[in-house]
Amino acid sequence: MSMPKFGTPGIRTSALALTLGLLPLLAACGGSDSKSDSTSASNEGSSSSSPATTTVNGATQLTVPDGVDADTKKQYIEENAIAVCMKKQGFTYTPHVQTSTAADPYASLDGEDYARAKQFRQKYGFGYYAGVVYPNDPDVPFSKAAMAKRTSPQDQDEVGLTDAQKKAYDIALTGPPAKTKAEEKVGGCSETGRVAAHGPALSAAAEKNAEKARDDQNRANGLALNGDAQLVQLAQQFATCLTGQGITVSTTQPTGMVDMVRLDISRQLPENFLSMSKDAALPLLNKDIGIALKDLECGKKFRAAYFPKEKAKPYYGENA
């Protein structure tokens, strides 16, 4: 089996909730059939144009940019380790790390950056119908251009390989095929990269304890945010403003208000919204733009206070 060659970009989990829920409706992700030299790797190895070098045995290595967060740094470590591992087995692997929020169509969805969100929403609304109206615009969530850009790194790692060599490449990258579904797990150089970035896998018991600790902390963070007096007051003002604009309010909890309007709309989308005609999508996009801008303006003060506090107490939802 082949694997996507870059990890999930470093964007807020609340913005990912919709994305992950809708991805099964879109084109499936996969590695590309493609074998580049180190020069093209330096230009295409990452959406942030991170410079590349090579090891003594010729494996491409991305240079970790200054100032990246810990999770992004681990993505670089993982991808670089995979490249070294694959080279030792006679294959070229071009590391890819998608980190540029400037090129990320999902980064404007939650309204954290007011000016940028306003610019986005004035043209695309929440992005639901914009992909149909602007199919060739890579900055639109769910457009054909955006999906191709996010799921198909442009390298040439498998060009020129025979079918047998491609099979060997996949085994080197992810390990041999499992004999049963219960035995399925990622191995090979992908596992080597994961261990390099995150350390050895925990035992089942230790992983269960770690997951419980994460869930407990997440729940505590949610309670703290929803109990914050300033956020509660601003959330009420936000809700009153939305109601005055004719927009239904389904929750007034601070952790829910931040994405409430967008997610409520997502639950009412027509089943064919990704495949409808441009003429059918355009009036729906115009309506979406109006609602998205009202939501942004009503929530301006709330979001300005919420996001700094949420960074200090990260919260990703009870069921995320």
Side-chain angles (χ1 to χ4, degrees):
M1 78 182 155
S2 60
M3 298 259 306
K5 291 191 175 180
F6 46 66
T8 302
I11 60 177
R12 187 170 304 279
T13 307
S14 59
L16 275 173
L18 166 69
T19 305
L20 298 178
L22 293 177
L23 281 179
L25 301 174
L26 307 173
C29 296
S32 92
D33 273 326
S34 344
K35 183 169 185 168
S36 77
D37 56 27
S38 59
T39 301
S40 67
S42 67
N43 295 328
E44 300 173 356
S46 153
S47 64
S48 59
S49 300
S50 181
T53 59
T54 55
T55 64
V56 290
N57 68 352
T60 300
Q61 298 285 274
L62 295 175
T63 302
V64 182
D66 293 334
V68 297
D69 59 46
D71 287 340
T72 301
K73 185 175 182 180
K74 287 178 181 178
Q75 290 181 44
Y76 279 93
I77 293 171
E78 182 169 348
E79 286 288 301
N80 285 340
I82 293 173
V84 172
C85 176
M86 290 293 284
K87 198 66 178 180
K88 288 179 179 178
Q89 300 194 48
F91 295 108
T92 295
Y93 177 93
T94 304
H96 293 273
V97 176
Q98 183 168 336
T99 60
S100 174
T101 56
D104 188 347
Y106 301 100
S108 297
L109 285 177
D110 59 18
E112 178 177 3
D113 184 329
Y114 170 82
R116 188 173 168 203
K118 185 173 183 178
Q119 182 180 28
F120 180 93
R121 296 186 187 199
Q122 283 175 330
K123 183 175 182 180
Y124 306 129
F126 287 121
Y128 297 122
Y129 302 102
V132 176
V133 178
Y134 305 105
N136 300 317
D137 188 337
D139 292 332
V140 184
F142 312 127
S143 71
K144 291 180 180 178
M147 292 308 300
K149 180 179 177 181
R150 292 177 68 83
T151 62
S152 301
Q154 300 302 306
D155 59 45
Q156 302 178 42
D157 292 348
E158 297 179 62
V159 166
L161 299 183
T162 65
D163 287 345
Q165 288 171 327
K166 287 181 180 180
K167 183 177 180 180
Y169 184 100
D170 287 344
I171 291 174
L173 181 59
T174 61
K179 295 180 180 179
T180 66
K181 192 168 185 65
E183 295 177 346
E184 284 185 356
K185 63 179 181 179
V186 176
C189 289
S190 294
E191 174 63 8
T192 298
R194 190 201 65 76
V195 171
H198 303 281
L202 299 175
S203 67
E207 180 57 43
K208 185 176 181 179
N209 289 336
E211 183 177 358
K212 183 179 184 303
R214 288 192 296 270
D215 288 345
D216 289 345
Q217 185 61 62
N218 178 66
R219 192 171 296 108
N221 288 350
L223 289 171
L225 292 169
N226 288 328
D228 184 286
Q230 181 193 24
L231 294 183
V232 169
Q233 181 181 19
L234 290 173
Q236 289 290 346
Q237 294 172 4
F238 185 5
T240 299
C241 179
L242 290 174
T243 302
Q245 295 286 347
I247 298 173
T248 301
V249 173
S250 59
T251 181
T252 56
Q253 285 194 329
T255 56
M257 286 291 293
V258 67
D259 284 316
M260 178 198 64
V261 174
R262 179 174 62 84
L263 294 179
D264 283 354
I265 288 176
S266 75
R267 299 182 184 103
Q268 302 173 34
L269 290 170
E271 291 185 7
N272 68 332
F273 83 99
L274 290 174
S275 59
M276 61 177 50
S277 69
K278 181 177 179 179
D279 287 342
L282 187 55
L284 295 174
L285 171 60
N286 289 333
K287 180 180 179 181
D288 195 49
I289 289 172
I291 295 173
L293 289 175
K294 290 175 182 176
D295 168 69
L296 185 66
E297 293 302 325
C298 284
K300 184 176 181 180
K301 290 182 179 179
F302 169 79
R303 291 188 174 98
Y306 178 83
F307 283 112
K309 293 186 178 185
E310 194 271 343
K311 277 187 171 61
K313 296 182 181 296
Y315 179 72
Y316 49 81
E318 293 296 329
N319 298 312

